[in-house]
């Protein structure tokens, strides 16, 4: 299955992508993770993207399309893939269609803005090993300290409440319209985010016609 995951930041796309990856035996391609790696490694694409991400803005289409096309051409995508974080604009969606990439379904995970702000502002990651934590759902054993390596836990710049609200505004203005684009192509299905991950997974599997 060639699948696209869409939805606001913090709706659980990354988590559900991992679950679907194991279920379907295909790789999840997170453009956010690809971009963070590019920034950390100081690549040309990373330097171009950093200033946009720090302000909660979208990375320009030409940068994202270049990054994603390179990734989809790799051998591990031959039997299917899950795209998380791309496309983010109708222009990107059209470019992906025009590039000849076949998409089977587009899954939209729906979640209210106020829940997202609470969820994302509670995220933390280790400053040394980048292990993820959450002050509500996945607390460290010792406050502010990584369980794995003892590193300091930090809040990413794009996880403070004001930046989150900016990201949500950008999503509603620029990304949400792609749902209409894919709906017209008959590819869009919806799942509604729940408080428990397992309950959201049930919604996701139901929307995709998969057995739990």
């Amino acid at each position: 299955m060639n699948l696209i995951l869409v939805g606001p930041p913090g709706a659980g796309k990354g988590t559900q992508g991992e679950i679907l990856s194991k279920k379907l035996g295909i790789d999840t391609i997170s453009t956010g993770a690809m971009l963070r790696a590019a920034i950390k490694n100081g690549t040309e694409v990373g330097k171009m993207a950093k200033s946009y991400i720090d302000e909660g803005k979208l990375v320009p289409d030409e940068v994202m399309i270049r990054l994603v096309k390179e990734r989809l051409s790799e051998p591990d995508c031959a039997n299917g893939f899950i795209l998380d974080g791309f496309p983010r604009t109708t222009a990107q969606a059209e470019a992906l269609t025009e590039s000849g990439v076949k998409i089977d379904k587009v899954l939209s995970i729906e979640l209210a803005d106020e829940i997202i702000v609470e969820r994302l502002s509670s995220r933390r990651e280790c400053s040394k090993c980048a292990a993820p934590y959450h002050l509500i759902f996945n607390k460290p054993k010792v406050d502010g300290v990584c369980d794995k390596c003892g590193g300091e836990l930090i809040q990413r710049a794009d996880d403070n409440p004001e930046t989150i609200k900016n990201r949500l505004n950008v999503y509603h203005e620029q990304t949400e319209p792609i749902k209409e684009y894919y709906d017209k192509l008959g590819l869009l299905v919806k799942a509604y985010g729940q408080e428990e991950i397992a309950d959201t997974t049930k919604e996701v599997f139901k929307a995709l016609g998969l057995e739990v």
Side-chain angles (χ1 to χ4, degrees), residues 27 34 50 56 81-82 102 109 147 154 177 196 202 207:
D27 282 345
M34 279 194 287
K50 188 177 188 305
F81 54 81
I82 301 168
K102 180 181 179 292
I109 300 179
D147 295 346
I154 59 172
E196 297 294 330
K202 289 178 183 177

Side-chain angles (χ1 to χ4, degrees), residues 23-38:
K23 174 75 173 178
L24 298 170
I26 56 179
D27 282 345
T28 299
I29 301 168
S30 168
T31 50
M34 279 194 287
L35 280 168
R36 284 193 290 275

Side-chain angles (χ1 to χ4, degrees), residues 40-129:
K40 185 178 180 181
N41 295 330
T43 67
E44 181 185 348
V45 176
K47 290 175 183 176
M48 293 169 66
K50 188 177 188 305
S51 61
Y52 293 92
I53 291 176
D54 285 348
E55 295 177 16
K57 295 180 180 178
L58 290 177
V59 177
D61 287 356
E62 60 270 19
V63 178
M64 294 305 306
I65 289 165
R66 174 178 155 192
L67 190 72
V68 172
K69 281 188 175 179
E70 286 179 358
R71 182 67 182 86
L72 293 182
S73 67
E74 294 181 15
D76 62 343
C77 292
N79 295 322
F81 54 81
I82 301 168
L83 270 179
D84 173 10
F86 185 92
R88 290 194 178 186
T89 65
T90 303
Q92 288 180 352
E94 291 170 347
L96 191 64
T97 301
E98 289 167 6
S99 72
V101 175
K102 180 181 179 292
I103 300 299
D104 296 308
K105 286 186 180 177
V106 177
L107 172 68
S108 174
I109 300 179
E110 311 277 323
L111 197 64
D113 285 6
E114 57 268 23
I115 297 174
I116 288 167
V117 173
E118 181 183 21
R119 275 191 185 183
L120 289 190
S121 61
S122 299
R123 292 198 304 194
R124 298 292 184 272
E125 78 176 13
C126 178
S127 58
K128 290 184 179 179
C129 72

Side-chain angles (χ1 to χ4, degrees), residues 3 5-24 26-30 33 36 82-85 107 109 111 119-120 123 132-134 137-138 156 191 193-202 204-205 208:
L3 179 65
L5 295 183
V6 300
K13 298 187 299 298
T15 300
Q16 296 303 321
E18 288 181 17
I19 293 168
L20 285 168
S21 175
K22 292 175 183 175
K23 174 75 173 178
L24 298 170
I26 56 179
D27 282 345
T28 299
I29 301 168
S30 168
R36 284 193 290 275
I82 301 168
L83 270 179
D84 173 10
L107 172 68
I109 300 179
L111 197 64
R119 275 191 185 183
L120 289 190
R123 292 198 304 194
Y133 293 88
H134 196 280
F137 302 116
N138 182 29
R156 282 184 6 211
Q194 308 295 314
E195 187 170 332
E196 297 294 330
I197 290 173
D199 292 333
T200 301
T201 301
K202 289 178 183 177
V204 166
F205 280 23
L208 293 173

